[in-house]
Amino acid sequence: EVQLVESGGGLVQPGGSLKLSCAASGFSFSGSTIHWVRQASGKGLEWVGRIRSKADSYATAYAASVKDRFTISRDDSKNTAYLQMNSLKTEDTAVYYCTRHPGFDLWGRGTLVTVSS
Amino acid sequence: DIQMTQSPSSLSASVGDRVTITCRASQSISSYLNWYQQKPGKAPKLLIHAASSLQSGVPSRFSGSGSGTDFTLIISSLQPEDFAIYYCQQSYNIPLTFGGGTKVEIK
């Protein structure tokens, strides 16, 4: 089955860290760019960042709101992308989705991250 | 960053109505425009890519048009399952940006 599955969400205190995973199956993960998108409760969609494929040197890019705090990586041998989140703030509370490009046609179900004391 | 402005932010419509949602980019994005549908508790679902290409499996009552800065999503005959929030997104450059969403509600 072609799918993306996010995991690793949970409750974390402000200033803490969390690492999310995005596990892919059923398609050529290694050739895909993976994007992370988040959505706070009742709010719109916000792009977080992306990691390109090996062919594009695993280039990463980030939204200004998370730059220098979040890091995206991938392990093509495990068909998994990661979102390392450090120095978390309450405003990072959201459902985090991963999606593939080209296409943006496949999204995971999301994983909830709650930053609260 | 490219700003994406959707209108209206919400609308009420009846089953069978024709619904039009617009999206304007703050600069030209050629045809790098996608439309998504999102239902409560679910991930966004791609409806239209490259401004006017219907994603596989999406009903033909959905259509998209436009290029440059002005884009339109049309639902030709609203069905009960179409009540949702719709987002536009530009993929012209990084950072990717989304419109604020249009909530389509039952009249």
Side-chain angles (χ1 to χ4, degrees):
Chain A
E1 181 181 2
V2 177
Q3 63 178 355
L4 292 168
V5 179
E6 303 93 340
S7 61
L11 175 63
V12 60
Q13 292 188 337
S17 298
L18 207 57
K19 187 173 185 177
L20 307 184
S21 298
C22 170
S25 59
F27 67 96
S28 174
F29 176 81
S30 61
S32 299
T33 293
I34 298 297
H35 292 256
W36 287 92
V37 174
R38 67 184 181 182
Q39 186 171 37
S41 180
K43 303 297 183 181
L45 299 165
E46 180 188 17
W47 179 78
V48 173
R50 62 97 166 116
I51 185 165
R52 300 184 78 175
S53 67
K54 181 179 181 180
D56 291 307
S57 304
Y58 299 123
T60 56
Y62 301 93
S65 58
V66 306
K67 190 172 170 58
D68 299 327
R69 299 189 298 123
F70 289 11
T71 302
I72 300 173
S73 61
R74 64 191 294 160
D75 184 339
D76 289 345
S77 69
K78 296 182 178 179
N79 286 344
T80 301
Y82 303 96
L83 178 63
Q84 176 68 48
M85 304 184 294
N86 299 330
S87 303
L88 281 161
K89 306 175 181 179
T90 55
E91 53 263 42
D92 295 320
T93 294
V95 174
Y96 285 73
Y97 297 101
C98 59
T99 180
R100 69 175 179 182
H101 184 68
F104 300 108
D105 59 333
L106 182 65
W107 293 63
R109 292 185 173 182
T111 187
L112 175 62
V113 173
T114 303
V115 185
S116 174
S117 55
Chain B
D1 299 359
I2 299 174
Q3 307 304 314
M4 305 300 293
T5 304
Q6 269 183 254
S7 62
S9 57
S10 66
L11 64 90
S12 296
S14 300
V15 172
D17 284 354
R18 178 182 176 92
V19 170
T20 300
I21 299 170
T22 64
C23 181
R24 174 165 290 175
S26 60
Q27 66 182 73
S28 177
I29 57 171
S30 184
S31 295
Y32 290 88
L33 190 284
N34 303 317
W35 288 99
Y36 299 88
Q37 176 193 68
Q38 189 178 33
K39 296 182 178 180
K42 301 294 187 180
K45 173 187 176 183
L46 181 68
L47 299 176
I48 303 285
H49 60 94
S52 60
S53 295
L54 190 68
Q55 175 65 14
S56 176
V58 174
S60 59
R61 62 181 179 273
F62 292 92
S63 65
S65 63
S67 66
T69 60
D70 294 311
F71 302 87
T72 301
L73 174 70
I74 292 176
I75 310 172
S76 60
S77 178
L78 197 65
Q79 297 302 300
E81 60 268 30
D82 300 337
F83 293 95
I85 299 177
Y86 294 84
Y87 294 95
C88 62
Q89 173 220 26
Q90 65 82 17
S91 57
Y92 181 76
N93 64 11
I94 296 295
L96 304 184
T97 45
F98 292 85
T102 296
K103 186 174 185 178
V104 177
E105 299 177 298
I106 301 172
K107 182 181 282 186

